[in-house]
Amino acid sequence: MPLSGTNPTTINLDIATGMQDSTALVLRYGLGDIRLKKISTDDKTPLVTKWQQMMETFLSTQVHVLAGLGYKADETGLQAYNVNLVHYMQEAEPSVQEELRIKGRDNWRIVLSTAFSLDMSDAEELSIVEARNIMHSVSQKMQDERVLAQVKERVKTLDPNESDQRLITAQKHHAVQEVMIDHVYLGDRSPTLVEELGFEPTDLGYVKLQWLMSEHQGDALIAQYIQGGMMKMLEAAELNLSDLQSNSDEAINQ
């Protein structure tokens, strides 16, 4: 166990699987489950806000589990663990990599299913080709001039006299998320992008898409598509990737 104020620098299979299993336990039966179910009963809050609340619950659950393993109970602890996990995965056997991938995917699906009362028991998995085609379409839409104009327009409505840089960053990030859902996935034209991709044009259709895409969340080409689109949207909001990370760190501490 590391000294107080430090983070472990290595992990092994027991730690990696224990982290995933403990997170799943809290999400299924602990405080995480309680918080996610509370989100699911709220039919008045916009999807963007519910999504942020869901992410806060998921991230804080991981942080608290990691604290029991000797990591700092903040964003630096989670970051340190993720770095250790990447290093471990690079050296692990393919069967171990797949085991941990599936555990991570399943935990994300627990979060989505609980927060949005989603039943995907009969869902058919997307092939890698289908998933890549979907995210290529999403990336292209993210870079559409009309979408970028919406980001710029929403950022213009923010208080120009606000001096708290963290608040400004959070507000800009929220604007980007609103445009992502309202104009990239669920709006801007008829049929909507979600509808064109074969899902119902509703909040639940968007969540179902994200649930299915989790099977391929580690694919390098999909990551490239999303990063390309997100860079354009962040640029329109006068943000960068480090600002996005800072906003995630803030969510952990709430």
Side-chain angles (χ1 to χ4, degrees):
M1 185 71 69
L3 297 174
S4 177
T6 65
N7 287 308
T9 56
T10 61
I11 63 173
N12 56 35
L13 180 58
D14 287 340
I15 292 175
T17 56
M19 162 60 179
Q20 298 284 23
D21 291 343
S22 297
T23 299
L25 184 68
V26 177
L27 292 173
R28 286 187 181 279
Y29 305 108
L31 188 57
D33 178 64
I34 294 172
R35 290 176 174 173
L36 291 171
K37 284 180 177 174
K38 182 177 180 181
I39 294 170
S40 73
T41 61
D42 182 356
D43 58 1
K44 296 180 180 179
T45 300
L47 175 58
V48 172
T49 303
K50 292 178 69 173
W51 193 271
Q52 291 175 332
Q53 293 171 345
M54 177 192 73
M55 288 303 302
E56 289 166 9
T57 299
F58 187 35
L59 293 172
S60 63
T61 297
Q62 294 176 81
V63 165
H64 288 302
V65 170
L66 287 172
L69 293 171
Y71 288 84
K72 294 181 182 179
D74 58 22
E75 69 277 6
T76 64
L78 182 56
Q79 290 167 2
Y81 172 78
N82 286 332
V83 169
N84 292 342
L85 180 61
V86 169
H87 290 161
Y88 175 75
M89 291 282 277
Q90 289 173 344
E91 302 295 330
E93 294 292 328
S95 60
V96 172
Q97 295 179 15
E98 180 65 2
E99 177 186 359
L100 294 175
R101 183 194 71 79
I102 290 174
K103 285 180 179 292
R105 178 204 66 187
D106 289 350
N107 280 350
W108 176 234
R109 288 180 168 182
I110 291 171
V111 171
L112 289 173
S113 298
T114 307
F116 293 97
S117 300
L118 193 64
D119 181 6
M120 298 291 284
S121 56
D122 297 327
E124 183 176 341
E125 295 287 1
L126 296 171
S127 70
I128 185 61
V129 173
E130 290 173 322
R132 286 173 174 173
N133 287 339
I134 285 173
M135 296 321 293
H136 181 265
S137 297
V138 172
S139 179
Q140 291 299 304
K141 187 68 181 291
M142 291 167 74
Q143 299 176 66
D144 186 284
E145 289 300 326
R146 291 173 298 177
V147 169
L148 299 179
Q150 282 291 331
V151 175
K152 293 176 182 178
E153 193 63 32
R154 297 201 185 199
V155 169
K156 283 182 182 178
T157 65
L158 301 179
D159 184 1
N161 298 316
E162 178 58 59
S163 59
D164 186 339
Q165 192 58 48
R166 292 179 71 90
L167 178 59
I168 294 172
T169 297
Q171 290 174 336
K172 288 182 176 180
H173 180 240
H174 185 81
V176 169
Q177 288 184 309
E178 284 184 328
V179 174
M180 275 288 292
I181 291 175
D182 295 343
H183 293 273
V184 173
Y185 283 98
L186 294 176
D188 193 49
R189 69 186 183 208
S190 182
T192 65
L193 180 58
V194 166
E195 207 169 357
E196 288 182 350
L197 296 173
F199 298 85
E200 58 201 81
T202 63
D203 290 359
L204 202 58
Y206 168 79
V207 178
K208 288 179 179 179
L209 172 59
Q210 300 305 319
W211 191 97
L212 287 169
M213 285 301 303
S214 65
E215 170 64 19
H216 305 289
Q217 60 188 356
D219 181 70
L221 187 55
I222 288 176
Q224 180 181 323
Y225 288 152
I226 294 305
Q227 184 172 0
M230 185 56 68
M231 288 293 289
K232 289 291 186 180
M233 293 188 72
L234 293 177
E235 181 181 323
E238 300 177 354
L239 290 171
N240 53 48
L241 287 176
S242 64
D243 292 323
L244 195 63
Q245 179 63 51
S246 296
N247 193 72
S248 298
D249 296 344
E250 181 68 19
I252 292 174
N253 294 320
Q254 292 182 358

mmCIF file of all heavy atoms in Angstrom, residues 137-155 175-189 193 228-237:
data_model
loop_
_atom_site.group_PDB
_atom_site.id
_atom_site.type_symbol
_atom_site.label_atom_id
_atom_site.label_comp_id
_atom_site.label_asym_id
_atom_site.label_seq_id
_atom_site.Cartn_x
_atom_site.Cartn_y
_atom_site.Cartn_z
ATOM 1 N N SER A 137 -20.440 8.726 -39.634
ATOM 2 C CA SER A 137 -21.573 9.623 -39.887
ATOM 3 C C SER A 137 -21.704 10.665 -38.784
ATOM 4 O O SER A 137 -21.958 11.847 -39.051
ATOM 5 C CB SER A 137 -22.875 8.813 -40.003
ATOM 6 O OG SER A 137 -22.841 7.932 -41.099
ATOM 7 N N VAL A 138 -21.518 10.237 -37.533
ATOM 8 C CA VAL A 138 -21.597 11.169 -36.395
ATOM 9 C C VAL A 138 -20.489 12.213 -36.500
ATOM 10 O O VAL A 138 -20.725 13.409 -36.309
ATOM 11 C CB VAL A 138 -21.494 10.403 -35.060
ATOM 12 C CG1 VAL A 138 -21.366 11.375 -33.890
ATOM 13 C CG2 VAL A 138 -22.708 9.497 -34.870
ATOM 14 N N SER A 139 -19.281 11.776 -36.812
ATOM 15 C CA SER A 139 -18.149 12.690 -36.921
ATOM 16 C C SER A 139 -18.382 13.729 -38.013
ATOM 17 O O SER A 139 -18.092 14.921 -37.832
ATOM 18 C CB SER A 139 -16.867 11.905 -37.209
ATOM 19 O OG SER A 139 -15.756 12.770 -37.346
ATOM 20 N N GLN A 140 -18.918 13.291 -39.145
ATOM 21 C CA GLN A 140 -19.204 14.223 -40.238
ATOM 22 C C GLN A 140 -20.243 15.256 -39.816
ATOM 23 O O GLN A 140 -20.123 16.438 -40.135
ATOM 24 C CB GLN A 140 -19.703 13.443 -41.463
ATOM 25 C CG GLN A 140 -18.646 12.577 -42.123
ATOM 26 C CD GLN A 140 -17.472 13.394 -42.651
ATOM 27 O OE1 GLN A 140 -17.645 14.310 -43.440
ATOM 28 N NE2 GLN A 140 -16.277 13.063 -42.195
ATOM 29 N N LYS A 141 -21.247 14.810 -39.075
ATOM 30 C CA LYS A 141 -22.291 15.728 -38.606
ATOM 31 C C LYS A 141 -21.727 16.713 -37.587
ATOM 32 O O LYS A 141 -22.105 17.895 -37.570
ATOM 33 C CB LYS A 141 -23.441 14.930 -37.989
ATOM 34 C CG LYS A 141 -24.659 15.767 -37.617
ATOM 35 C CD LYS A 141 -25.368 16.299 -38.843
ATOM 36 C CE LYS A 141 -26.574 17.155 -38.460
ATOM 37 N NZ LYS A 141 -27.664 16.350 -37.862
ATOM 38 N N MET A 142 -20.819 16.258 -36.748
ATOM 39 C CA MET A 142 -20.199 17.130 -35.745
ATOM 40 C C MET A 142 -19.432 18.280 -36.396
ATOM 41 O O MET A 142 -19.296 19.351 -35.817
ATOM 42 C CB MET A 142 -19.260 16.321 -34.844
ATOM 43 C CG MET A 142 -19.967 15.339 -33.931
ATOM 44 S SD MET A 142 -18.815 14.157 -33.159
ATOM 45 C CE MET A 142 -18.014 15.213 -31.947
ATOM 46 N N GLN A 143 -18.943 18.051 -37.601
ATOM 47 C CA GLN A 143 -18.138 19.058 -38.289
ATOM 48 C C GLN A 143 -18.944 19.881 -39.297
ATOM 49 O O GLN A 143 -18.390 20.734 -39.984
ATOM 50 C CB GLN A 143 -16.970 18.360 -39.001
ATOM 51 C CG GLN A 143 -16.050 17.619 -38.046
ATOM 52 C CD GLN A 143 -14.952 16.848 -38.742
ATOM 53 O OE1 GLN A 143 -14.068 17.430 -39.369
ATOM 54 N NE2 GLN A 143 -14.980 15.520 -38.646
ATOM 55 N N ASP A 144 -20.256 19.635 -39.350
ATOM 56 C CA ASP A 144 -21.134 20.389 -40.239
ATOM 57 C C ASP A 144 -21.153 21.860 -39.815
ATOM 58 O O ASP A 144 -21.221 22.178 -38.621
ATOM 59 C CB ASP A 144 -22.547 19.798 -40.170
ATOM 60 C CG ASP A 144 -23.486 20.427 -41.176
ATOM 61 O OD1 ASP A 144 -23.936 21.567 -40.943
ATOM 62 O OD2 ASP A 144 -23.763 19.782 -42.202
ATOM 63 N N GLU A 145 -21.106 22.753 -40.776
ATOM 64 C CA GLU A 145 -21.050 24.185 -40.473
ATOM 65 C C GLU A 145 -22.255 24.659 -39.666
ATOM 66 O O GLU A 145 -22.140 25.537 -38.821
ATOM 67 C CB GLU A 145 -20.940 24.993 -41.772
ATOM 68 C CG GLU A 145 -19.592 24.866 -42.466
ATOM 69 C CD GLU A 145 -18.437 25.347 -41.583
ATOM 70 O OE1 GLU A 145 -18.641 26.300 -40.801
ATOM 71 O OE2 GLU A 145 -17.346 24.759 -41.661
ATOM 72 N N ARG A 146 -23.421 24.074 -39.920
ATOM 73 C CA ARG A 146 -24.611 24.477 -39.165
ATOM 74 C C ARG A 146 -24.497 24.078 -37.699
ATOM 75 O O ARG A 146 -24.927 24.821 -36.805
ATOM 76 C CB ARG A 146 -25.857 23.844 -39.785
ATOM 77 C CG ARG A 146 -26.232 24.390 -41.154
ATOM 78 C CD ARG A 146 -27.360 23.602 -41.771
ATOM 79 N NE ARG A 146 -26.983 22.203 -41.993
ATOM 80 C CZ ARG A 146 -27.820 21.281 -42.470
ATOM 81 N NH1 ARG A 146 -29.074 21.606 -42.730
ATOM 82 N NH2 ARG A 146 -27.404 20.050 -42.663
ATOM 83 N N VAL A 147 -23.899 22.919 -37.460
ATOM 84 C CA VAL A 147 -23.698 22.464 -36.084
ATOM 85 C C VAL A 147 -22.691 23.364 -35.371
ATOM 86 O O VAL A 147 -22.912 23.801 -34.231
ATOM 87 C CB VAL A 147 -23.217 21.002 -36.064
ATOM 88 C CG1 VAL A 147 -22.737 20.611 -34.668
ATOM 89 C CG2 VAL A 147 -24.337 20.069 -36.515
ATOM 90 N N LEU A 148 -21.590 23.667 -36.025
ATOM 91 C CA LEU A 148 -20.564 24.528 -35.426
ATOM 92 C C LEU A 148 -21.113 25.929 -35.167
ATOM 93 O O LEU A 148 -20.767 26.563 -34.163
ATOM 94 C CB LEU A 148 -19.337 24.588 -36.335
ATOM 95 C CG LEU A 148 -18.646 23.241 -36.601
ATOM 96 C CD1 LEU A 148 -17.465 23.429 -37.545
ATOM 97 C CD2 LEU A 148 -18.196 22.590 -35.299
ATOM 98 N N ALA A 149 -21.994 26.390 -36.052
ATOM 99 C CA ALA A 149 -22.614 27.701 -35.851
ATOM 100 C C ALA A 149 -23.494 27.693 -34.609
ATOM 101 O O ALA A 149 -23.568 28.702 -33.881
ATOM 102 C CB ALA A 149 -23.431 28.090 -37.084
ATOM 103 N N GLN A 150 -24.170 26.568 -34.356
ATOM 104 C CA GLN A 150 -24.992 26.453 -33.155
ATOM 105 C C GLN A 150 -24.137 26.525 -31.891
ATOM 106 O O GLN A 150 -24.525 27.150 -30.902
ATOM 107 C CB GLN A 150 -25.766 25.132 -33.181
ATOM 108 C CG GLN A 150 -26.980 25.129 -34.086
ATOM 109 C CD GLN A 150 -28.083 26.026 -33.566
ATOM 110 O OE1 GLN A 150 -28.221 26.239 -32.360
ATOM 111 N NE2 GLN A 150 -28.885 26.546 -34.486
ATOM 112 N N VAL A 151 -22.972 25.886 -31.922
ATOM 113 C CA VAL A 151 -22.059 25.946 -30.772
ATOM 114 C C VAL A 151 -21.649 27.393 -30.516
ATOM 115 O O VAL A 151 -21.715 27.892 -29.386
ATOM 116 C CB VAL A 151 -20.815 25.076 -31.009
ATOM 117 C CG1 VAL A 151 -19.824 25.246 -29.851
ATOM 118 C CG2 VAL A 151 -21.191 23.604 -31.149
ATOM 119 N N LYS A 152 -21.223 28.076 -31.562
ATOM 120 C CA LYS A 152 -20.786 29.467 -31.426
ATOM 121 C C LYS A 152 -21.910 30.350 -30.906
ATOM 122 O O LYS A 152 -21.684 31.235 -30.070
ATOM 123 C CB LYS A 152 -20.283 29.982 -32.773
ATOM 124 C CG LYS A 152 -19.011 29.308 -33.267
ATOM 125 C CD LYS A 152 -18.624 29.791 -34.654
ATOM 126 C CE LYS A 152 -17.376 29.070 -35.164
ATOM 127 N NZ LYS A 152 -17.014 29.500 -36.553
ATOM 128 N N GLU A 153 -23.128 30.107 -31.395
ATOM 129 C CA GLU A 153 -24.272 30.916 -30.988
ATOM 130 C C GLU A 153 -24.576 30.725 -29.511
ATOM 131 O O GLU A 153 -24.865 31.694 -28.794
ATOM 132 C CB GLU A 153 -25.489 30.536 -31.827
ATOM 133 C CG GLU A 153 -26.651 31.501 -31.732
ATOM 134 C CD GLU A 153 -26.331 32.887 -32.254
ATOM 135 O OE1 GLU A 153 -25.517 33.004 -33.198
ATOM 136 O OE2 GLU A 153 -26.883 33.860 -31.701
ATOM 137 N N ARG A 154 -24.510 29.500 -29.038
ATOM 138 C CA ARG A 154 -24.810 29.239 -27.625
ATOM 139 C C ARG A 154 -23.726 29.808 -26.714
ATOM 140 O O ARG A 154 -24.023 30.297 -25.623
ATOM 141 C CB ARG A 154 -24.976 27.736 -27.390
ATOM 142 C CG ARG A 154 -26.146 27.148 -28.152
ATOM 143 C CD ARG A 154 -26.635 25.857 -27.593
ATOM 144 N NE ARG A 154 -27.679 25.291 -28.431
ATOM 145 C CZ ARG A 154 -28.550 24.374 -28.044
ATOM 146 N NH1 ARG A 154 -28.493 23.904 -26.804
ATOM 147 N NH2 ARG A 154 -29.463 23.910 -28.866
ATOM 148 N N VAL A 155 -22.485 29.746 -27.149
ATOM 149 C CA VAL A 155 -21.394 30.303 -26.349
ATOM 150 C C VAL A 155 -21.537 31.818 -26.245
ATOM 151 O O VAL A 155 -21.227 32.410 -25.205
ATOM 152 C CB VAL A 155 -20.033 29.918 -26.972
ATOM 153 C CG1 VAL A 155 -18.897 30.706 -26.326
ATOM 154 C CG2 VAL A 155 -19.778 28.421 -26.807
ATOM 155 N N ALA A 175 -22.679 23.639 -23.285
ATOM 156 C CA ALA A 175 -23.207 24.083 -24.580
ATOM 157 C C ALA A 175 -22.851 23.089 -25.681
ATOM 158 O O ALA A 175 -23.684 22.773 -26.537
ATOM 159 C CB ALA A 175 -22.671 25.477 -24.914
ATOM 160 N N VAL A 176 -21.619 22.589 -25.660
ATOM 161 C CA VAL A 176 -21.192 21.603 -26.655
ATOM 162 C C VAL A 176 -22.033 20.332 -26.527
ATOM 163 O O VAL A 176 -22.483 19.757 -27.531
ATOM 164 C CB VAL A 176 -19.690 21.265 -26.492
ATOM 165 C CG1 VAL A 176 -19.306 20.048 -27.331
ATOM 166 C CG2 VAL A 176 -18.834 22.467 -26.888
ATOM 167 N N GLN A 177 -22.262 19.886 -25.296
ATOM 168 C CA GLN A 177 -23.056 18.678 -25.081
ATOM 169 C C GLN A 177 -24.493 18.868 -25.556
ATOM 170 O O GLN A 177 -25.088 17.956 -26.142
ATOM 171 C CB GLN A 177 -23.043 18.299 -23.595
ATOM 172 C CG GLN A 177 -21.712 17.748 -23.113
ATOM 173 C CD GLN A 177 -21.792 17.309 -21.666
ATOM 174 O OE1 GLN A 177 -22.235 18.060 -20.805
ATOM 175 N NE2 GLN A 177 -21.358 16.088 -21.401
ATOM 176 N N GLU A 178 -25.055 20.055 -25.307
ATOM 177 C CA GLU A 178 -26.416 20.331 -25.764
ATOM 178 C C GLU A 178 -26.509 20.249 -27.283
ATOM 179 O O GLU A 178 -27.446 19.651 -27.830
ATOM 180 C CB GLU A 178 -26.850 21.723 -25.295
ATOM 181 C CG GLU A 178 -27.217 21.804 -23.833
ATOM 182 C CD GLU A 178 -27.725 23.178 -23.449
ATOM 183 O OE1 GLU A 178 -27.253 24.181 -24.051
ATOM 184 O OE2 GLU A 178 -28.594 23.265 -22.570
ATOM 185 N N VAL A 179 -25.543 20.842 -27.962
ATOM 186 C CA VAL A 179 -25.547 20.806 -29.428
ATOM 187 C C VAL A 179 -25.339 19.381 -29.928
ATOM 188 O O VAL A 179 -25.958 18.971 -30.917
ATOM 189 C CB VAL A 179 -24.474 21.758 -30.000
ATOM 190 C CG1 VAL A 179 -24.377 21.605 -31.518
ATOM 191 C CG2 VAL A 179 -24.807 23.206 -29.647
ATOM 192 N N MET A 180 -24.488 18.610 -29.256
ATOM 193 C CA MET A 180 -24.259 17.222 -29.641
ATOM 194 C C MET A 180 -25.575 16.447 -29.671
ATOM 195 O O MET A 180 -25.868 15.713 -30.621
ATOM 196 C CB MET A 180 -23.308 16.546 -28.664
ATOM 197 C CG MET A 180 -21.839 16.749 -28.970
ATOM 198 S SD MET A 180 -21.271 15.826 -30.427
ATOM 199 C CE MET A 180 -21.396 14.146 -29.832
ATOM 200 N N ILE A 181 -26.377 16.614 -28.634
ATOM 201 C CA ILE A 181 -27.623 15.857 -28.534
ATOM 202 C C ILE A 181 -28.734 16.491 -29.370
ATOM 203 O O ILE A 181 -29.410 15.814 -30.146
ATOM 204 C CB ILE A 181 -28.050 15.736 -27.059
ATOM 205 C CG1 ILE A 181 -27.070 14.811 -26.313
ATOM 206 C CG2 ILE A 181 -29.468 15.188 -26.947
ATOM 207 C CD1 ILE A 181 -27.306 14.702 -24.837
ATOM 208 N N ASP A 182 -28.903 17.821 -29.233
ATOM 209 C CA ASP A 182 -30.026 18.496 -29.871
ATOM 210 C C ASP A 182 -29.878 18.666 -31.374
ATOM 211 O O ASP A 182 -30.876 18.736 -32.103
ATOM 212 C CB ASP A 182 -30.240 19.878 -29.244
ATOM 213 C CG ASP A 182 -30.651 19.799 -27.781
ATOM 214 O OD1 ASP A 182 -31.080 18.715 -27.350
ATOM 215 O OD2 ASP A 182 -30.523 20.814 -27.067
ATOM 216 N N HIS A 183 -28.626 18.738 -31.858
ATOM 217 C CA HIS A 183 -28.428 19.013 -33.278
ATOM 218 C C HIS A 183 -27.660 17.924 -34.013
ATOM 219 O O HIS A 183 -27.933 17.681 -35.193
ATOM 220 C CB HIS A 183 -27.715 20.362 -33.452
ATOM 221 C CG HIS A 183 -28.547 21.526 -33.032
ATOM 222 N ND1 HIS A 183 -29.437 22.157 -33.872
ATOM 223 C CD2 HIS A 183 -28.662 22.161 -31.831
ATOM 224 C CE1 HIS A 183 -30.045 23.128 -33.223
ATOM 225 N NE2 HIS A 183 -29.604 23.146 -31.987
ATOM 226 N N VAL A 184 -26.709 17.268 -33.361
ATOM 227 C CA VAL A 184 -25.973 16.203 -34.042
ATOM 228 C C VAL A 184 -26.823 14.932 -34.088
ATOM 229 O O VAL A 184 -27.035 14.356 -35.160
ATOM 230 C CB VAL A 184 -24.624 15.919 -33.353
ATOM 231 C CG1 VAL A 184 -23.950 14.685 -33.972
ATOM 232 C CG2 VAL A 184 -23.703 17.129 -33.469
ATOM 233 N N TYR A 185 -27.325 14.515 -32.934
ATOM 234 C CA TYR A 185 -28.041 13.242 -32.873
ATOM 235 C C TYR A 185 -29.555 13.362 -33.069
ATOM 236 O O TYR A 185 -30.147 12.603 -33.832
ATOM 237 C CB TYR A 185 -27.783 12.564 -31.521
ATOM 238 C CG TYR A 185 -26.434 11.908 -31.400
ATOM 239 C CD1 TYR A 185 -25.376 12.550 -30.766
ATOM 240 C CD2 TYR A 185 -26.213 10.633 -31.907
ATOM 241 C CE1 TYR A 185 -24.135 11.941 -30.638
ATOM 242 C CE2 TYR A 185 -24.978 10.006 -31.785
ATOM 243 C CZ TYR A 185 -23.945 10.666 -31.154
ATOM 244 O OH TYR A 185 -22.712 10.056 -31.038
ATOM 245 N N LEU A 186 -30.186 14.302 -32.375
ATOM 246 C CA LEU A 186 -31.651 14.294 -32.295
ATOM 247 C C LEU A 186 -32.333 15.468 -32.996
ATOM 248 O O LEU A 186 -33.550 15.612 -32.886
ATOM 249 C CB LEU A 186 -32.082 14.273 -30.821
ATOM 250 C CG LEU A 186 -31.721 13.002 -30.052
ATOM 251 C CD1 LEU A 186 -32.101 13.136 -28.580
ATOM 252 C CD2 LEU A 186 -32.419 11.792 -30.666
ATOM 253 N N GLY A 187 -31.613 16.299 -33.698
ATOM 254 C CA GLY A 187 -32.267 17.436 -34.315
ATOM 255 C C GLY A 187 -31.614 17.872 -35.594
ATOM 256 O O GLY A 187 -30.929 17.106 -36.261
ATOM 257 N N ASP A 188 -31.864 19.115 -35.958
ATOM 258 C CA ASP A 188 -31.264 19.800 -37.105
ATOM 259 C C ASP A 188 -31.954 19.482 -38.420
ATOM 260 O O ASP A 188 -31.911 20.261 -39.349
ATOM 261 C CB ASP A 188 -29.766 19.492 -37.202
ATOM 262 C CG ASP A 188 -29.046 20.413 -38.182
ATOM 263 O OD1 ASP A 188 -29.230 21.629 -38.088
ATOM 264 O OD2 ASP A 188 -28.310 19.887 -39.033
ATOM 265 N N ARG A 189 -32.589 18.314 -38.536
ATOM 266 C CA ARG A 189 -33.273 17.962 -39.777
ATOM 267 C C ARG A 189 -34.175 16.765 -39.522
ATOM 268 O O ARG A 189 -34.112 16.128 -38.477
ATOM 269 C CB ARG A 189 -32.258 17.613 -40.862
ATOM 270 C CG ARG A 189 -31.506 16.312 -40.597
ATOM 271 C CD ARG A 189 -30.421 16.054 -41.594
ATOM 272 N NE ARG A 189 -29.780 14.772 -41.360
ATOM 273 C CZ ARG A 189 -28.530 14.503 -41.687
ATOM 274 N NH1 ARG A 189 -27.780 15.440 -42.218
ATOM 275 N NH2 ARG A 189 -28.011 13.315 -41.461
ATOM 276 N N LEU A 193 -30.350 12.242 -37.324
ATOM 277 C CA LEU A 193 -29.242 11.305 -37.525
ATOM 278 C C LEU A 193 -29.509 9.981 -36.815
ATOM 279 O O LEU A 193 -29.258 8.904 -37.366
ATOM 280 C CB LEU A 193 -27.935 11.920 -37.019
ATOM 281 C CG LEU A 193 -26.689 11.043 -37.163
ATOM 282 C CD1 LEU A 193 -26.458 10.665 -38.623
ATOM 283 C CD2 LEU A 193 -25.460 11.759 -36.597
ATOM 284 N N GLY A 228 -11.757 13.722 -34.175
ATOM 285 C CA GLY A 228 -11.776 14.711 -35.248
ATOM 286 C C GLY A 228 -12.982 15.617 -35.161
ATOM 287 O O GLY A 228 -12.872 16.847 -35.298
ATOM 288 N N GLY A 229 -14.154 15.031 -34.901
ATOM 289 C CA GLY A 229 -15.364 15.829 -34.768
ATOM 290 C C GLY A 229 -15.369 16.685 -33.521
ATOM 291 O O GLY A 229 -15.755 17.858 -33.545
ATOM 292 N N MET A 230 -14.906 16.096 -32.406
ATOM 293 C CA MET A 230 -14.910 16.835 -31.145
ATOM 294 C C MET A 230 -13.952 18.017 -31.175
ATOM 295 O O MET A 230 -14.245 19.080 -30.608
ATOM 296 C CB MET A 230 -14.561 15.892 -29.990
ATOM 297 C CG MET A 230 -14.663 16.547 -28.614
ATOM 298 S SD MET A 230 -16.283 17.269 -28.274
ATOM 299 C CE MET A 230 -17.299 15.797 -28.169
ATOM 300 N N MET A 231 -12.824 17.863 -31.830
ATOM 301 C CA MET A 231 -11.874 18.967 -31.934
ATOM 302 C C MET A 231 -12.520 20.176 -32.603
ATOM 303 O O MET A 231 -12.319 21.321 -32.181
ATOM 304 C CB MET A 231 -10.640 18.523 -32.721
ATOM 305 C CG MET A 231 -9.732 17.556 -31.982
ATOM 306 S SD MET A 231 -8.905 18.305 -30.559
ATOM 307 C CE MET A 231 -7.737 19.379 -31.394
ATOM 308 N N LYS A 232 -13.304 19.938 -33.640
ATOM 309 C CA LYS A 232 -13.984 21.027 -34.344
ATOM 310 C C LYS A 232 -15.021 21.709 -33.457
ATOM 311 O O LYS A 232 -15.143 22.937 -33.443
ATOM 312 C CB LYS A 232 -14.651 20.485 -35.610
ATOM 313 C CG LYS A 232 -13.689 20.103 -36.713
ATOM 314 C CD LYS A 232 -13.014 21.347 -37.300
ATOM 315 C CE LYS A 232 -12.159 20.998 -38.492
ATOM 316 N NZ LYS A 232 -11.498 22.186 -39.076
ATOM 317 N N MET A 233 -15.769 20.908 -32.704
ATOM 318 C CA MET A 233 -16.796 21.485 -31.831
ATOM 319 C C MET A 233 -16.183 22.252 -30.673
ATOM 320 O O MET A 233 -16.669 23.318 -30.290
ATOM 321 C CB MET A 233 -17.730 20.382 -31.328
ATOM 322 C CG MET A 233 -18.572 19.752 -32.422
ATOM 323 S SD MET A 233 -19.828 18.607 -31.790
ATOM 324 C CE MET A 233 -20.998 19.762 -31.035
ATOM 325 N N LEU A 234 -15.101 21.724 -30.110
ATOM 326 C CA LEU A 234 -14.415 22.426 -29.035
ATOM 327 C C LEU A 234 -13.800 23.729 -29.535
ATOM 328 O O LEU A 234 -13.831 24.757 -28.847
ATOM 329 C CB LEU A 234 -13.333 21.532 -28.422
ATOM 330 C CG LEU A 234 -13.818 20.295 -27.656
ATOM 331 C CD1 LEU A 234 -12.633 19.477 -27.183
ATOM 332 C CD2 LEU A 234 -14.707 20.689 -26.490
ATOM 333 N N GLU A 235 -13.258 23.692 -30.741
ATOM 334 C CA GLU A 235 -12.688 24.901 -31.335
ATOM 335 C C GLU A 235 -13.763 25.970 -31.514
ATOM 336 O O GLU A 235 -13.528 27.149 -31.247
ATOM 337 C CB GLU A 235 -12.073 24.557 -32.689
ATOM 338 C CG GLU A 235 -11.414 25.733 -33.395
ATOM 339 C CD GLU A 235 -10.830 25.341 -34.743
ATOM 340 O OE1 GLU A 235 -10.301 24.206 -34.848
ATOM 341 O OE2 GLU A 235 -10.905 26.149 -35.677
ATOM 342 N N ALA A 236 -14.969 25.538 -31.924
ATOM 343 C CA ALA A 236 -16.076 26.483 -32.082
ATOM 344 C C ALA A 236 -16.489 27.086 -30.747
ATOM 345 O O ALA A 236 -16.954 28.230 -30.683
ATOM 346 C CB ALA A 236 -17.269 25.780 -32.727
ATOM 347 N N ALA A 237 -16.301 26.318 -29.666
ATOM 348 C CA ALA A 237 -16.644 26.797 -28.323
ATOM 349 C C ALA A 237 -15.469 27.483 -27.636
ATOM 350 O O ALA A 237 -15.563 27.870 -26.474
ATOM 351 C CB ALA A 237 -17.123 25.634 -27.466
#
